[in-house]
Amino acid sequence: VVDGVIATGYVDDDNLFVTGGSGGGVLTSWIVGKTDRFRAAVVAKPVINWTSFVLLADNPAFFAKYWFGAFPWEDGQQEKYWKRSPLSLVGNVVTPTMLLTGEQDYRTPMSETVQYYTALKLRKIQTALVRIQNSGHGIANTPSNLMAKVMYILAWFEDYRA
């Protein structure tokens, strides 16, 4: 898809950036674990480790039953959880990556964000952690939080513009 958009001529392929929140945060963290083509990334309110997510998020029985079919400790499940976890790819990441999550996010808890941030720091990858105060999963629910989110993302991308 990215190659197709570049082929249209409307995109500066020297300045590709990627971001997403919630499911998009999962995908963004997965993408930077699979490719180095983006100059920078912003991973917002992600799931990084499906085991810890299922055990800490706001509806553990639902997530385990309907998203995985079993709890992580049941026979053979841990491998299935790990294979779907972006944390399993953190060893490949070279893209400067900012993480952004609401402090009161119970859907994708701050602990998910902190795990990825810590792993990136340990690998000496350029990273930043932004905690949006007074915010749950819907970071943009207030105008000030929406503005803060957008400003953080744009500033991060501007820092890595070619």
Side-chain angles (χ1 to χ4, degrees), residues 83-106:
K83 282 183 178 180
R84 293 163 88 181
S85 296
L87 189 58
S88 71
L89 301 172
V90 77
N92 302 331
V93 177
V94 295
T95 306
T97 303
M98 182 172 76
L99 296 127
L100 188 143
T101 301
E103 286 188 330
Q104 284 83 43
D105 191 336
Y106 299 109

Side-chain angles (χ1 to χ4, degrees), residues 132-162:
I132 303 293
Q133 296 180 357
N134 304 313
S135 179
H137 196 63
I139 290 174
N141 284 351
T142 65
S144 59
N145 282 348
L146 172 59
M147 289 173 38
K149 175 186 170 185
V150 171
M151 288 172 38
Y152 279 117
I153 292 170
L154 292 176
W156 184 257
F157 289 166
E158 188 60 36
D159 284 348
Y160 292 96
R161 180 177 296 284

